[in-house]
Amino acid sequence: MSLLTNVMDHSLDDGYAEAAARRGVEGRSGLPRTVRAKLGLAAGLVLAALVVTVGAVQARVDAPALAKEREELIDRVETETAAADALAERVDQLRETVQEMQRKALERHGGDQGERTALLAGATPVKGPGIKLVIDDAEDAGGGDGDGPRQSTGFSDTGRVRDRDMQRVINGLWAAGAEAVSVNGQRLTALSAIRAAGDAILVDNKPLAPPYTILAVGNGREFREDFDDSEDGQYLEVLHENYGVRYTVAVQDEVRLPAAQSLIIRTAEPVKTGKGSTS
């Protein structure tokens, strides 16, 4: 009977009773889990919106300062560029003055050969009959294999005009009787150097771009025939036939060549003006 009485008095297990009591307390003092999760998400979204808003406001505040710094930098660049251009113009003026003085010195102290000396030195512009030679890369010119401008065969390894090709052509023109030569408007002198920098051809350290226009003052048609019959003229024809290098040669009644831009007199001797005096 005591067992039945205990069951009737305690019909709910103690563990269930504790769980029910705990849920009752949570119901009175807190919110359901799903509600709390939604509230947490809402709080996170509000915080993110606040951060974005603050960032946008800060960017708007900083924009005028950045724009001002940019304008100041642009003004500085433009000012320094103008100053550099002015200095470059001044350098050109001084260079022209020095070159003019050098030309006059060559003409004055060259005696009967003063004019010819100035001509051969590239100190003065020149005009006269001659030829116009235009050389260009082949239409399908490759970039080469990086082993140098030429192979052991002695000819250009691709359809691209190389520095040694240009050297041979220029030397052939001098040998055929050229009195003055220019390449792409740049006057050549006895001190001019034709070199390569990668695939580019440099004349006196200035890069040239194809097509290469060569003007040479000489004895007209006879000058051209002498060049065509020379070894270097035949070399140019081989480049055309075997590698597709394009070129044209035309006799001109008059070609005009500028003076050399970088004429430098390396040696000088005093000129005697009287007994025991020099100037």
Side-chain angles (χ1 to χ4, degrees):
M1 291 299 292
S2 61
L3 177 61
L4 292 176
T5 302
N6 185 46
V7 170
M8 293 296 294
D9 293 339
H10 303 282
S11 59
L12 187 64
D13 185 82
D14 293 339
Y16 287 104
E18 291 178 2
R22 186 166 58 250
R23 284 197 298 270
V25 173
E26 290 179 354
R28 292 191 300 270
S29 61
L31 296 174
R33 183 178 302 173
T34 56
V35 175
R36 284 179 292 165
K38 292 180 180 179
L39 290 177
L41 178 60
L45 293 176
V46 171
L47 180 60
L50 180 62
V51 171
V52 173
T53 302
V54 172
V57 172
Q58 187 66 32
R60 176 173 291 184
V61 172
D62 294 340
L66 294 175
K68 183 178 180 180
E69 292 179 0
R70 182 175 181 275
E71 291 177 358
E72 291 177 352
L73 181 59
I74 292 175
D75 291 340
R76 288 179 57 189
V77 171
E78 291 178 349
T79 301
E80 296 299 330
T81 300
D85 292 341
L87 290 175
E89 184 177 355
R90 178 59 176 163
V91 168
D92 291 338
Q93 294 175 352
L94 293 174
R95 182 181 291 113
E96 291 177 359
T97 301
V98 171
Q99 291 176 353
E100 183 63 24
M101 295 174 64
Q102 292 176 344
R103 296 186 191 105
K104 291 181 178 179
L106 287 172
E107 294 174 355
R108 184 170 60 252
H109 299 299
D112 296 337
Q113 299 295 323
E115 183 177 352
R116 181 173 178 79
T117 300
L119 172 65
L120 296 177
T124 58
V126 62
K127 64 179 180 179
I131 63 174
K132 179 181 179 181
L133 172 60
V134 180
I135 307 176
D136 199 357
D137 297 336
E139 293 184 0
D140 57 347
D145 55 8
D147 293 333
R150 305 163 78 77
Q151 292 180 346
S152 59
T153 57
F155 297 111
S156 178
D157 55 348
T158 68
R160 189 180 299 277
V161 179
R162 305 295 184 174
D163 58 326
R164 289 195 179 183
D165 303 331
M166 188 66 65
Q167 290 173 3
R168 289 202 60 167
V169 171
I170 297 299
N171 289 336
L173 291 172
W174 288 119
E179 297 180 9
V181 180
S182 69
V183 182
N184 285 12
Q186 188 166 331
R187 180 77 172 274
L188 302 181
T189 69
L191 300 178
S192 296
I194 301 177
R195 295 289 184 267
D199 286 331
I201 296 178
L202 306 181
V203 174
D204 291 335
N205 293 324
K206 295 183 179 180
L208 303 182
Y212 307 102
T213 300
I214 303 173
L215 299 178
V217 175
N219 190 16
R221 189 169 300 279
E222 181 181 350
F223 175 33
R224 174 182 175 173
E225 292 176 355
D226 290 342
F227 173 73
D228 289 341
D229 295 337
S230 67
E231 181 179 349
D232 298 311
Q234 295 298 317
Y235 170 81
L236 184 58
E237 180 63 22
V238 169
L239 291 182
H240 171 68
E241 293 180 354
N242 294 333
Y243 302 99
V245 172
R246 296 169 289 174
Y247 78 95
T248 59
V249 186
V251 177
Q252 304 284 314
D253 294 333
E254 180 179 280
V255 293
R256 294 176 176 268
L257 279 65
Q261 298 180 359
S262 58
L263 179 64
I264 299 175
I265 298 179
R266 297 182 180 275
T267 60
E269 295 180 0
V271 178
K272 295 182 179 181
T273 58
K275 185 176 181 181
S277 64
T278 59
S279 63

